[in-house]
Amino acid sequence: TILSFVNPGVHFTVQPAKAEADDGGPLQAVGYPGSGRLLSQVEKDHPAYQYLVSRRFDPEKLAREFGVGLVDTDTEANLVGRIIVPIHMHGQMVGWQGRYPGDIDWKGTGIRKYWNLPHMKKSRMLYGYDQARAFPYCIVVEGVTDVWRVGPPAVCILGNSLNFAQRRLICTTWQTVFVMLDPDAMEKSRIAVHELKNHLREAGGQVVEITLPGGKDPADFDARDLQWIIADASEKAGVT
C-alpha cells in the first residue's frame, strides 16, 4: 500500500519497501503503512489527538519535529487509528511503530500497545538518533514518548533492554552518555550499561546514570523538571 501524508504546502507519497531478510548490511529504507496524515492535519477532537494532549504532548510539534502521523486506512486493521512513529537513521526512514491512542488494560483486552513494522530490526536502531547526533552527548531512554518529553539529544532503545548493537552505536557516536531508564529497563540493561561505562572510560568518555523519583518514566515528568534533573546529575558527575 502507499501512504499519502499531507503537510501544509507539501504532499508526498511513499511506497513501502520490505524489511531486510537478514542481519547483514545497512538498514534499508522503508515506507509508512497504509494511508494517513501528519498529526498537524488531524482533527483536534480525534481520539489520537486528544490522547496526546491529555499526556501533555503537542501533536503539532510531534508532526513538525518527528514526522508523527495517524493511519486512516490500511490492509492491517490493527493499525487503523494508531499513532504512527517513523524511525529515521542516517537520513532515511528504517522502521515505524504504531502506538495505540490510549492507555488500557493491555493484558485484559489483548490489545497491543505497539505494532512494529514486520521484521523490524529495532535492536539495531536508536529512535531520535539523527537529531541527537548534532549534540556532543546523548540521553538514553526507553521509549519514543520519553524522547518526545526530553527532546534532542535523547535517543530511545525501543524496548526495555540495551543490547550490544545499540551500545556499539552509542560508543562510536558520543563520548558523554546519560542513561535515564526506568528501574525495570535498567535492571535488564545492567550488564550492557556496565560495559558501556568501561568502554567510554577507556576512550576518555563518561556514562552518568540518572534515577528518576518514584520509579517513573521520563514521559511522566514535565520537560522543565527533567532539565533540572539532568542538569543536577551532570553537575554532580562533573560533566561540563
Side-chain angles (χ1 to χ4, degrees), residues 90-134:
H90 304 290
Q92 65 180 3
M93 180 173 163
V94 295
W96 49 258
Q97 287 191 327
R99 212 286 187 189
Y100 183 82
D103 289 307
I104 58 176
D105 179 1
W106 308 111
K107 291 184 179 180
T109 60
I111 294 175
R112 290 169 58 175
K113 180 187 292 189
Y114 288 101
W115 279 92
N116 295 331
L117 170 75
H119 311 297
M120 187 174 81
K121 298 179 180 179
K122 67 177 185 178
S123 65
R124 295 174 56 194
M125 301 175 184
L126 291 171
Y127 178 71
Y129 178 76
D130 281 4
Q131 293 98 322
R133 288 174 67 194

Side-chain angles (χ1 to χ4, degrees), residues 188-207:
K188 293 181 178 180
S189 303
R190 180 60 58 189
I191 295 177
V193 171
H194 178 72
E195 292 174 346
L196 180 65
K197 283 183 176 181
N198 289 340
H199 182 93
L200 285 180
R201 188 183 298 115
E202 292 175 359
Q206 187 174 11
V207 173

Side-chain angles (χ1 to χ4, degrees), residues 65-66 126-144 146-157 170 173-180 210 223 226-227 230-231 234 239:
E65 297 186 1
F66 295 98
L126 291 171
Y127 178 71
Y129 178 76
D130 281 4
Q131 293 98 322
R133 288 174 67 194
F135 292 79
Y137 63 94
C138 75
I139 303 169
V140 179
V141 295
E142 182 177 347
V144 298
D146 298 326
V147 172
W148 297 346
R149 186 70 76 210
V150 177
V155 294
C156 88
I157 57 179
I170 291 169
T173 308
W174 297 282
Q175 282 284 293
T176 300
V177 178
F178 295 87
V179 178
M180 192 162 58
I210 299 176
L226 286 175
Q227 291 173 1
I230 294 167
S234 177
V239 176

Side-chain angles (χ1 to χ4, degrees), residues 14-190:
V14 183
Q15 176 67 48
K18 292 183 178 180
E20 291 177 290
D22 57 71
D23 289 332
L27 295 169
Q28 299 297 309
V30 302
Y32 291 85
S35 176
R37 297 165 285 168
L38 289 171
L39 287 178
S40 54
Q41 299 298 306
V42 174
E43 300 80 8
K44 290 181 171 55
D45 60 352
H46 191 284
Y49 197 103
Q50 287 297 308
Y51 167 70
L52 291 169
V53 171
S54 74
R55 293 197 59 185
R56 295 173 287 116
F57 290 114
D58 181 353
E60 309 279 337
K61 182 179 180 180
L62 295 181
R64 182 175 62 253
E65 297 186 1
F66 295 98
V68 182
L70 176 77
V71 172
D72 289 320
T73 61
D74 188 66
T75 54
E76 292 287 342
N78 290 316
L79 288 174
V80 174
R82 284 182 176 259
I83 300 163
I84 290 296
V85 183
I87 301 167
H88 291 87
M89 295 191 67
H90 304 290
Q92 65 180 3
M93 180 173 163
V94 295
W96 49 258
Q97 287 191 327
R99 212 286 187 189
Y100 183 82
D103 289 307
I104 58 176
D105 179 1
W106 308 111
K107 291 184 179 180
T109 60
I111 294 175
R112 290 169 58 175
K113 180 187 292 189
Y114 288 101
W115 279 92
N116 295 331
L117 170 75
H119 311 297
M120 187 174 81
K121 298 179 180 179
K122 67 177 185 178
S123 65
R124 295 174 56 194
M125 301 175 184
L126 291 171
Y127 178 71
Y129 178 76
D130 281 4
Q131 293 98 322
R133 288 174 67 194
F135 292 79
Y137 63 94
C138 75
I139 303 169
V140 179
V141 295
E142 182 177 347
V144 298
T145 57
D146 298 326
V147 172
W148 297 346
R149 186 70 76 210
V150 177
V155 294
C156 88
I157 57 179
L158 297 166
N160 58 10
S161 63
L162 177 68
N163 61 63
F164 174 78
Q166 292 170 329
R167 177 172 62 83
R168 181 174 57 187
L169 181 60
I170 291 169
C171 287
T172 57
T173 308
W174 297 282
Q175 282 284 293
T176 300
V177 178
F178 295 87
V179 178
M180 192 162 58
L181 301 173
D182 68 23
D184 179 60
M186 180 60 81
E187 183 61 31
K188 293 181 178 180
S189 303
R190 180 60 58 189

Side-chain angles (χ1 to χ4, degrees), residues 5-12 38 40-41:
F5 267 71
V6 181
N7 204 7
V10 180
H11 178 86
F12 58 94
L38 289 171
S40 54
Q41 299 298 306

